[in-house]
Amino acid sequence: MSPTLHDSNDRMSQIAVHNGTVYLSGQVPADASQGMRGQTEQVLARIDELLAKAGTSKDRLISAQVWVTDMAEFDEMNAAWDAWVSPGRPPVRAAVEARLARPEWKVEIMVVAALSQA
């Protein structure tokens, strides 16, 4: 069974669905003029949109990978994350410091979720 791909271009897809699991590509902020918390909030809102498009939600998250450009701003990212993540349903998560593809980006997040049950 092949995965179903959504929002694809020649380089990548934003969403892949396979065997009841939804994989999102790494999401970055649209407005990089904001600080870490604002950028993280944008990314999380985009993740909500993509998960809904795939037929699931953050309530069904399995895992998350978070890349931040400066661990000195880690608490700001976590403040946005903690306000967003479903209470009592946090996914497994890794967060590391990394240089991102564009220097103005402060955060990138990639998640995996289970499809919602019909």
Side-chain angles (χ1 to χ4, degrees):
M1 175 188 295
S2 295
T4 304
L5 305 174
H6 302 276
D7 294 358
S8 303
N9 60 32
D10 290 339
R11 179 167 293 147
M12 63 183 281
S13 297
Q14 293 294 314
I15 305 167
V17 180
H18 187 257
N19 287 340
T21 305
V22 176
Y23 304 85
L24 298 189
S25 64
Q27 299 301 308
V28 295
D31 178 5
S33 69
Q34 295 187 22
M36 176 64 82
R37 184 166 184 155
Q39 287 194 24
T40 303
E41 289 168 346
Q42 289 176 58
V43 168
L44 297 172
R46 178 68 175 146
I47 288 170
D48 281 336
E49 291 170 9
L50 291 171
L51 289 173
K53 185 173 191 172
T56 192
S57 72
K58 66 184 176 185
D59 294 338
R60 305 212 16 107
L61 284 179
I62 297 168
S63 70
Q65 296 176 21
V66 181
W67 297 272
V68 297
T69 56
D70 186 351
M71 280 298 188
E73 297 180 297
F74 189 65
D75 288 344
E76 292 178 54
M77 181 280 298
N78 271 331
W81 176 272
D82 292 345
W84 173 81
V85 75
S86 296
R89 306 239 1 117
V92 297
R93 187 184 96 167
V96 299
E97 184 176 86
R99 185 172 54 194
L100 301 181
R102 293 194 178 166
E104 62 270 23
W105 292 339
K106 294 178 170 287
V107 62
E108 182 169 351
I109 302 174
M110 185 170 141
V111 302
V112 176
L115 273 176
S116 295
Q117 296 175 346

